[in-house]
Amino acid sequence: MKQIWIITKRELGAFFNSLIAYVILILFLGFSGFFTWLFGSDIFMVGQASLRSFFSIAYWTLFFFIPALTMRLLAEEKRSGTIELLLTKAVSDREVVLGKFLSTLILIIIALAFTLPYIITVTNLGNLDLGAVICGYLGLVLMSGVYISIGLFASSITHNQIIAFLTALFMGLFFHLIFDILANSFTGFIGQVFNYLSMTVHFESISRGVIDSRDLIFFISLMILGLYFAELSLSRRNVSN
Amino acid sequence: MNIKVENLTKTFGAQRAVDRISFEVNTGEILGFLGPNGAGKTTTVKMITNYLIPTMGNIEIDGKSLFDNAEEIKKHIGYLPENNPLYHEMPVIDYLEFCANLQGIPKEKINGRIYEMVRVCGLNAEKHKKIGELSKGYRQRTGLAQAMIHDPEILILDEPTSGLDPNQIVEIRKLIRELGREKTVILCTHILPEVEATCDRILIIHNGKIVADGTADTLRKQAQGQELMRVKIEEGESNVIFQSLQELPTVAMVDFAGREVNRFEVQSKPGLSSKKDIFQLCVKNNWILTESIPIETKLEDIFRNLTMN
């Protein structure tokens, strides 16, 4: 447990030292702020005291930004060889993967925390459903967790950060969009399966303010699966050089 | 802590990188691990540090299996990998602190250890710089510092002196020798004089197999077999001296050494020494023996003999 936290702290440091964190924070806040308040179907356009428009913007911006954060996590260490140094210290593969996962999740939570003033603003505009807002944030965090673990897996299979980024985006796209489209074009059992696999369905369900165990199982099992495969592919160093 | 390696094998696909090697390293011993590129040195070292898992065989450290107690044992191993990979965006001090934390040094001792390592490795002037901004020599020192930060019982160094200046090399070798008195050290290197200067024992590996194991002296004896001397004898006729030397009972072969007059290479018969006979021959004939140099087989030659097919 302690080892995980040490790695998390180092990774967070690396995010902030290399300016990645600041760039991502500024871009995320800029994009989501612009579309929430100024452009498109923004809050004033909708005319309701709710953060739905923010959540649907963040839902997409996070989808694109997370692979950019996770791409370097393992790929860079594999390229520079520091992974060898790290894994020969008193840590296990799993602790390294979890530490890196946690660091990115914390960065996302920090980014989301900067949007908390939105709540105050909207509360002043009208009657805000606080339960739905909390669930919306929870949904974003859970969704981020899923994409981070997918991104970590993508980063673990290659030495190349660009490949890691594109692989993560490609895998994420299935959950984000493709399964949803497929669910609409199939009926019966297959349609239900695709429906269950769609991130959109679960995110919308949770951001409506309903915490359903089926949604939680979806998010958490995908996270565990991604992390498990990341760990597995880290140990693949034994198969070839 | 002693290291015991038994029947260690590692295959990558069809290639056998390490082929059933067994050896032991004891506490207070510095083992020089030699071999040409691609011989399997680095793979072996990676298995001892638990980065790679062997295809077959066993590694025991202090009588405990490495694979069952990896987390615990890794705390006692300090490792400087080949090419010395480091986090370039981290300042030296932060990096050492990170390593100290990971290796489970108690909080109150961490600062002390960091300053100790900064002093020992001569990092004081550069300690607040980012590692990426350092010169190669300073990076190497940082690599050494991280390997030794937790005062490990076992120290495994892959080319520790590459990129260091001569003064630093001497200091690092001295440090390794000092550490070697109470710790177990494995030193991988291509620099043969370094092995002679620091190691108690030499292990040469070739094509994944151990081809030599012993001290520098035993290896020499094995390789040489016969005593070889270069002598210079003055105040006599060259051919007469040559003839007389040839007739000595302990001498197997005499040869003129280069173009110089009166200088000879004398090879003794196996197991015998001709030093005394040569001296007495000179006394008898009133010749003057002005040079008598035993020619040692160089470690380089031994290495080449063993690792060239």
Side-chain angles (χ1 to χ4, degrees), chain A residues 118-128:
Chain A
Y118 294 3
I119 301 174
I120 300 163
T121 317
V122 177
T123 320
N124 286 329
L125 292 174
N127 213 352
L128 185 68

Side-chain angles (χ1 to χ4, degrees), chain A residues 13-24:
Chain A
F15 277 135
F16 283 97
N17 279 336
S18 61
L19 296 181
I20 301 174
Y22 300 104
V23 171
I24 291 290

Side-chain angles (χ1 to χ4, degrees), chain A residues 3 6 10 14 17 77 80-92 95 237-241, chain B residues 10 12-13 46 49 51-53 71 74-75 79 81 85-87 89-90 95 98-99 101-103 146:
Chain A
Q3 308 296 75
I6 295 165
R10 197 207 79 80
N17 279 336
E77 297 229 28
S80 68
T82 47
I83 192 77
E84 188 182 344
L85 206 56
L86 190 58
L87 292 176
T88 51
K89 302 254 182 273
V91 285
S92 63
E95 284 165 339
R237 61 180 183 267
N238 278 305
V239 181
S240 67
N241 255 343
Chain B
K10 181 78 196 171
F12 292 113
K46 280 181 179 173
T49 53
Y51 179 67
L52 294 179
I53 293 163
E71 299 283 291
K74 278 199 278 185
K75 278 186 189 160
Y79 179 38
L86 295 163
Y87 294 115
E89 79 283 356
M90 273 181 116
Y95 179 62
F98 168 67
C99 292
N101 272 321
L102 267 188
Q103 297 290 29
Q146 65 81 22

Side-chain angles (χ1 to χ4, degrees), chain A:
Chain A
M1 215 37 225
K2 202 176 138 242
Q3 308 296 75
I4 298 175
W5 183 238
I6 295 165
I7 289 173
T8 304
K9 272 198 299 192
R10 197 207 79 80
E11 289 296 329
L12 274 176
F15 277 135
F16 283 97
N17 279 336
S18 61
L19 296 181
I20 301 174
Y22 300 104
V23 171
I24 291 290
L25 283 177
I26 290 167
L27 282 178
F28 172 71
L29 293 174
F31 264 107
S32 58
F34 182 68
F35 287 106
T36 308
W37 299 103
L38 300 172
F39 189 80
S41 59
D42 59 46
I43 283 182
F44 303 111
M45 178 97 163
V46 175
Q48 281 179 347
S50 91
L51 280 175
R52 292 298 289 273
S53 52
F54 162 69
F55 290 138
S56 57
I57 292 303
Y59 178 69
W60 277 97
T61 37
L62 286 176
F63 169 67
F64 282 107
F65 286 158
I66 285 170
L69 288 172
T70 54
M71 66 179 188
R72 52 168 279 286
L73 287 178
L74 288 163
E76 193 185 32
E77 297 229 28
K78 286 172 89 171
R79 162 158 289 185
S80 68
T82 47
I83 192 77
E84 188 182 344
L85 206 56
L86 190 58
L87 292 176
T88 51
K89 302 254 182 273
V91 285
S92 63
D93 293 12
R94 179 167 299 166
E95 284 165 339
V96 169
V97 170
L98 286 177
K100 283 171 183 279
F101 170 79
L102 213 58
S103 70
T104 319
L105 194 63
I106 288 173
L107 185 63
I108 296 293
I109 291 173
I110 292 171
L112 289 174
F114 276 107
T115 66
L116 290 179
Y118 294 3
I119 301 174
I120 300 163
T121 317
V122 177
T123 320
N124 286 329
L125 292 174
N127 213 352
L128 185 68
D129 180 357
L130 208 60
V133 171
I134 291 169
C135 286
Y137 275 105
L138 182 68
L140 284 179
V141 170
L142 287 170
M143 180 199 80
S144 304
V146 170
Y147 289 136
I148 292 167
S149 74
I150 289 174
L152 254 175
F153 167 64
S155 185
S156 71
I157 56 175
T158 174
H159 295 230
N160 187 315
Q161 295 191 32
I162 305 293
I163 291 176
F165 175 76
L166 293 174
T167 312
L169 212 56
F170 181 70
M171 284 193 285
L173 205 59
F174 277 91
F175 295 103
H176 217 71
L177 203 63
I178 294 175
F179 287 145
D180 197 34
I181 295 169
L182 287 176
N184 289 332
S185 49
F186 282 98
T187 51
F189 178 69
I190 302 173
Q192 275 179 348
V193 169
F194 283 130
N195 196 52
Y196 186 75
L197 286 173
S198 163
M199 180 71 76
T200 324
V201 171
H202 295 284
F203 180 71
E204 270 174 7
S205 146
I206 207 165
S207 66
R208 232 180 283 125
V210 188
I211 300 177
D212 190 333
S213 60
R214 273 182 307 174
D215 300 328
L216 290 182
I217 289 169
F218 169 81
F219 289 121
I220 289 168
S221 54
L222 268 185
M223 267 183 246
I224 291 172
L225 214 62
L227 294 174
Y228 174 73
F229 278 117
E231 191 192 334
L232 206 65
S233 100
L234 249 193
S235 64
R236 253 188 75 237
R237 61 180 183 267
N238 278 305
V239 181
S240 67
N241 255 343

Side-chain angles (χ1 to χ4, degrees), chain B residues 119-176:
Chain B
R119 189 185 60 76
V120 167
C121 298
L123 280 163
N124 200 35
E126 312 276 335
K127 62 176 183 258
H128 293 298
K129 273 197 192 165
K130 285 189 179 176
I131 293 170
E133 295 165 1
L134 300 181
S135 67
K136 188 162 188 288
Y138 274 104
R139 277 186 211 173
Q140 195 67 24
R141 296 180 202 193
T142 312
L144 275 167
Q146 65 81 22
M148 298 189 292
I149 186 109
H150 53 301
D151 200 15
E153 301 286 315
I154 294 171
L155 198 58
I156 298 174
L157 306 170
D158 209 338
E159 319 238 339
T161 53
S162 80
L164 298 180
D165 61 58
N167 296 334
Q168 192 73 31
I169 288 178
V170 170
E171 272 169 48
I172 292 297
R173 283 184 191 162
K174 205 176 114 206
L175 181 70
I176 293 171

